[in-house]
């Protein structure tokens, strides 16, 4: 049984290494094509192509960093303790400041009781309302990793609501519900056919706003893996051009 487990572990690592190699090779192939375009085509705007190359290199750096973080998840997820959702959310929001400042920030709303419409609007840099601060809903997990998972979800909401006239992100800590945490936004959403795919490593939905936004396609894959290790489920509800809701289920 031990030998079988060891072989399975090696097989999984080889499969992961093969997939990583494929992901990186795809971006390197794209870079090669872009460099060759500059060398061989003299009638195209070089600055525009250089900008494209810069974006591809940025995507490659993000992908390598995110792939390395997958290894960290494997190392750290077994270290767990009792945490509070309010602290995880506060820390995640604080870590989103660079994205808040880069994009036109949506209105950040806290709902103290899931779908109760009992909202407290908040400036992004403000502290959580007192009504949420005193909520003591617990989760047993690796707090640092769970902060990263929630941060990834909130950052997506910030990036993909930026074209809306009245962008909103609603964060709910849920009491006595199967849903423990809900993050809802009125951004571009995703097509129903993509809902089951957007947690796949490297996948980016074929929606113009998403394609225009720099990224590695790894954020939700990382969040999903962390949430699974915490014994939870990441459930996604969405309708294109209307909304997207990320729910963490117990």
């Amino acid at each position: 049984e031990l030998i079988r487990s060891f072989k399975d572990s090696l097989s999984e690592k080889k499969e992961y290494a093969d997939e990583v190699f494929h992901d990186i090779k795809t971006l390197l192939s794209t870079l090669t094509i872009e460099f060759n375009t500059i060398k061989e085509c003299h009638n195209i705007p070089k600055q525009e192509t250089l900008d494209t190359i810069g974006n591809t290199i940025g995507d490659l750096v993000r992908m390598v960093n995110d792939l390395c973080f997958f290894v960290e998840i494997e190392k750290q997820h077994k270290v767990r303790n009792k945490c509070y959702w309010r602290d995880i959310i506060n820390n995640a929001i604080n870590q989103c400041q660079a994205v808040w400042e880069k994009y036109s920030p949506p209105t950040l709303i806290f709902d103290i009781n899931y779908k109760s419409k009992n909202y407290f609007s908040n400036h992004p840099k403000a502290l959580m309302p007192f009504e949420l601060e005193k909520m003591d809903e617990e989760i047993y997990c690796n707090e640092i990793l769970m902060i990263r998972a929630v941060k990834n979800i909130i950052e997506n909401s910030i990036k993909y609501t930026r074209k809306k006239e009245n962008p909103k992100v609603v964060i709910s800590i849920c009491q006595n519900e199967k849903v423990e945490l809900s993050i809802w936004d009125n951004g571009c959403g995703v097509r129903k056919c993509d809902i089951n795919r957007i947690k796949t490593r490297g996948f980016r939905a074929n929606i113009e706003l998403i394609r225009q936004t720099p990224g590695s396609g790894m954020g939700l894959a990382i969040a999903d893996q962390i949430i699974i290790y915490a014994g939870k489920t990441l459930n996604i509800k969405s309708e294109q051009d209307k909304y997207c809701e990320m729910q963490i289920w117990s």
Side-chain angles (χ1 to χ4, degrees):
E1 183 64 31
L2 284 171
I3 291 171
R4 190 180 301 112
S5 297
F6 181 64
K7 285 182 177 179
D8 289 344
S9 175
L10 287 178
S11 175
E12 289 172 5
K13 285 180 172 57
K14 182 181 183 304
E15 182 180 345
Y16 177 72
D18 289 344
E19 290 173 353
V20 167
F21 176 74
H22 177 267
D23 292 341
I24 293 175
K25 187 178 178 182
T26 300
L27 279 175
L28 289 174
S29 298
T30 303
L31 276 175
T32 301
I33 292 169
E34 290 166 352
F35 278 120
N36 287 338
T37 301
I38 285 184
K39 286 168 59 179
E40 298 169 6
C41 303
H42 302 291
N43 58 342
I44 63 165
K46 285 195 174 181
Q47 187 57 51
E48 184 177 321
T49 308
L50 286 171
D51 290 342
T52 303
I53 289 172
N55 291 335
T56 305
I57 292 172
D59 289 343
L60 181 60
V61 170
R62 279 185 288 272
M63 177 170 283
V64 170
N65 288 337
D66 287 341
L67 288 168
C68 290
F69 191 76
F70 267 105
V71 177
E72 290 303 309
I73 294 172
E74 292 289 334
K75 291 179 183 177
Q76 296 179 26
H77 79 88
K78 293 179 182 177
V79 180
R80 304 179 185 182
N81 47 43
K82 184 174 74 172
C83 313
Y84 295 97
W85 277 118
R86 62 170 188 257
D87 297 331
I88 291 170
I89 294 170
N90 258 336
N91 282 294
I93 291 170
N94 287 335
Q95 290 183 20
C96 288
Q97 292 307 318
V99 178
W100 282 115
E101 291 165 6
K102 182 175 181 180
Y103 299 102
S104 300
T107 301
L108 183 60
I109 297 171
F110 295 97
D111 183 355
I112 66 168
N113 192 6
Y114 187 47
K115 293 184 178 178
S116 69
K117 308 302 180 188
N118 193 359
Y119 292 154
F120 289 85
S121 295
N122 232 19
H123 185 276
K125 294 187 177 180
L127 293 174
M128 192 178 289
F130 175 72
E131 284 79 5
L132 281 186
E133 281 288 351
K134 64 186 181 182
M135 292 179 74
D136 57 0
E137 273 62 35
E138 300 173 357
I139 177 174
Y140 190 72
C141 66
N142 183 298
E143 186 172 15
I144 293 173
L145 292 181
M146 189 57 71
I147 290 169
R148 173 65 180 265
V150 174
K151 167 182 171 282
N152 285 2
I153 295 171
I154 294 174
E155 282 189 344
N156 278 354
S157 290
I158 296 167
K159 290 187 287 188
Y160 302 135
T161 56
R162 70 179 187 271
K163 293 289 180 73
K164 291 284 185 173
E165 288 185 12
N166 187 21
K168 294 187 181 72
V169 177
V170 180
I171 300 175
S172 309
I173 299 177
C174 313
Q175 297 175 301
N176 303 317
E177 296 267 1
K178 184 175 183 180
V179 180
E180 293 190 27
L181 180 70
S182 166
I183 300 171
W184 178 98
D185 68 68
N186 63 343
C188 64
V190 294
R191 300 174 301 178
K192 287 187 177 180
C193 62
D194 288 336
I195 286 178
N196 292 328
R197 302 176 64 197
I198 59 175
K199 293 188 286 187
T200 304
R201 199 183 67 232
F203 177 79
R204 304 197 79 201
N206 191 21
I207 294 174
E208 184 179 3
L209 182 59
I210 293 176
R211 292 292 178 182
Q212 290 173 351
T213 306
S216 64
M218 307 287 280
L220 279 184
I222 287 173
D224 185 50
Q225 190 63 62
I226 292 169
I227 290 164
I228 288 171
Y229 277 140
K232 312 295 180 183
T233 303
L234 178 60
N235 185 55
I236 301 170
K237 296 182 177 182
S238 185
E239 188 171 343
Q240 188 175 352
D241 297 325
K242 291 188 177 180
Y243 78 95
C244 186
E245 182 179 6
M246 301 281 170
Q247 303 171 333
I248 298 178
W249 286 14
S250 57

